[in-house]
Amino acid sequence: MRGGNWFKPHAHGFGAGPANWRGWLAVAVFVLAETALAFAVVGWSGDVSAARLGAYLVLSLILAVAFVAVAWRKTDGAWRWRWGERE
């Protein structure tokens, strides 16, 4: 693993997982941001209008795309389907 990479490719399937503390920190920040967004949009009451739900979905998608972009750039190797031992 090179020094600047936070994630490593999965041995099986597609994607990457955290490889060091920076990767785990990125995952934790993403989870906390999603949780904060849910509470900010929905609130404690749970009453949700269609407009608030739509806003949550759009903002949540933006957060997810940003996280995947960071993970993609900070992965040691390419994201592709892997079969494990067969490679």
Side-chain angles (χ1 to χ4, degrees):
M1 179 175 68
R2 296 182 302 247
N5 295 316
W6 303 352
F7 297 88
K8 62 182 176 186
H10 289 156
H12 301 285
F14 185 79
N20 57 33
W21 69 270
R22 289 178 184 95
W24 284 108
L25 181 63
V27 170
V29 167
F30 172 69
V31 169
L32 289 173
E34 285 285 350
T35 303
L37 177 64
F39 280 113
V41 172
V42 176
W44 291 100
S45 67
D47 294 331
V48 180
S49 67
R52 290 177 77 98
L53 179 61
Y56 169 76
L57 292 175
V58 168
L59 293 172
S60 182
L61 180 64
I62 291 169
L63 279 175
V65 168
F67 175 74
V68 169
V70 168
W72 192 298
R73 288 196 53 188
K74 293 294 188 174
T75 296
D76 182 24
W79 281 26
R80 61 182 174 82
W81 187 265
R82 298 179 195 282
W83 294 100
E85 298 293 324
R86 289 195 258 173
E87 290 191 27

